[in-house]
Amino acid sequence: MIKTETHGRAGLIRLDRPEALNALSDALMEELGAALLGFDADPAIGAIVITGSERAFAAGADIREMQDRRFPGTFREDFIGARWETVLRVRKPVIAAVAGFALGGGCELAMMCDIVLAADTAKFGQPEITLGIIPGAGGTQRLARAVGKSKAMEMVLTGRVLSAEEAERANLVARVVPAAELLAEAIKVAERIAALSPVAAAMAKQAINVAFESTLREGVRHERQLFLSLFGSADQREGMAAFLDKRKPRFGEG
Ligand code: CAA
C-alpha cells in the first residue's frame, strides 16, 4: 500500500492502493506513519515527498471501512487522531505532490503537509457532506485558514471540487506544474531543501506552523527564540563564512 524510495537526500513515499484510488484505510495510514517516522529519523534524508498516482493522490478515508464505525467506539479508538496525524510529528519538511483526486481525507492529508505542489490534473474537495458527515482531519480548519471562510464554506457545504488552477488562486497550493513534471519537480524541491541546513529547515517549518496556532505577538516571540538559537549552530558559521568566501556552503553539521 506504501512504496518508499530515496532520491539523493529526498525520501519519497508513494501511496499505492490503486484499486480504491488510494482510499486511506487504517492499515494504509499505519504504513504511511511508519514510513514518515522512518525517514524523519534517518540522517541521510533531508526532506520527504508524499505522492499518489496519476489518477488519485487519495480519494479520502476508506468509506467501506468507515461505514460500520459507530459512536462511542469512534471516540474510544480515537479514529483519525490515532493514525492520521503522524505527519504533524515529522520535523523535516514534507511536500505533498498531488495529481488527480485529493478528496476528503486526501485533501486533509495534503493540507497537513508543509508544501502542496499540484499537477494540472489535481482536484481538491471536501465531499464528506455528501456522505452525511463533515471533514474530520482538519478539513474545516486548515481549509478555512488557507482559502478563507466563503470558499471553505462553499466547498464543505456543497462538496464542490476545485481544479488545480482554482486551488492555486485560492492559496491552497504553492504552485501548479504539468502532470508529467510533478514528481521530478517535487523531488527537486525536496533535494533543494535537503541540501540546506537541516536544523534551520526544521526550525523554519516549526516557526511557520506556530503562525497558525498563536497570536502574532506569541508567534514573533517564538520565531525570535529560534532565530537567536541558530547562532549557536555550525551551519550558521558555515553559511555566513561561505557567503563571504564566495564558495558553496557545506551544511549538515547542525
Ligand atoms: N473509500 C473507499 N473506496 C473508494 C473511495 C473511498 N473514499 N473512493 C473510491 N473508492 C473505490 C470505489 O469504491 C471503486 O471501487 P470498486 O471498483 O470496487 O467499485 C474504486 O475506488 C474506483 O472508484 P470509482 O469507480 O468511484 O471511480 P470514479 O472515477 O467513477 O470516481 C471519485 C472517482 C469521484 C473519486 C469517487 O470514487 C468518489 O467520489 N470517491 C469518494 C470520495 C469521498 O467521498 N471522499 C471522502 C471520504 S470521507 C473522509 O475522508 C472523512 C475524513 O474527513 C477523514
Side-chain angles (χ1 to χ4, degrees), residues 125-238:
Q126 298 289 161
E128 287 88 344
I129 195 87
T130 66
L131 299 169
I133 57 170
I134 68 169
T140 64
Q141 302 303 299
R142 293 190 182 88
L143 187 69
R145 282 164 171 76
V147 308
K149 173 174 165 176
S150 187
K151 202 177 272 284
M153 284 285 188
E154 192 201 0
M155 288 174 71
V156 171
L157 289 173
T158 71
R160 185 169 79 82
V161 168
L162 305 190
S163 66
E165 194 193 322
E166 189 176 359
E168 186 183 27
R169 271 204 311 276
N171 289 327
L172 188 55
V173 308
R175 151 163 100 74
V176 179
V177 299
E181 294 164 24
L182 176 71
L183 198 55
E185 191 58 31
I187 290 169
K188 200 166 112 190
V189 174
E191 285 189 309
R192 155 122 187 115
I193 293 169
L196 301 171
S197 164
V199 66
M203 286 192 182
K205 164 174 172 158
Q206 191 184 95
I208 291 175
N209 280 328
V210 166
F212 295 94
E213 298 171 354
S214 66
T215 62
L216 180 63
R217 201 183 158 89
E218 285 162 352
V220 171
R221 193 179 302 135
H222 189 87
E223 176 198 86
R224 189 69 40 78
Q225 289 305 327
L226 294 175
F227 171 76
L228 297 176
S229 71
L230 283 171
F231 285 78
S233 76
D235 285 343
Q236 174 263 341
R237 291 191 291 284
E238 169 63 10

Side-chain angles (χ1 to χ4, degrees), residues 1-4 12-17 27-33 35-36 50-51:
M1 273 184 288
I2 293 283
K3 287 190 177 149
T4 60
L12 173 64
I13 301 175
R14 293 178 192 266
L15 310 179
D16 186 33
R17 202 185 162 210
L28 190 153
M29 291 316 276
E30 261 166 38
E31 275 188 37
L32 173 62
L36 283 165
I50 304 178
T51 197

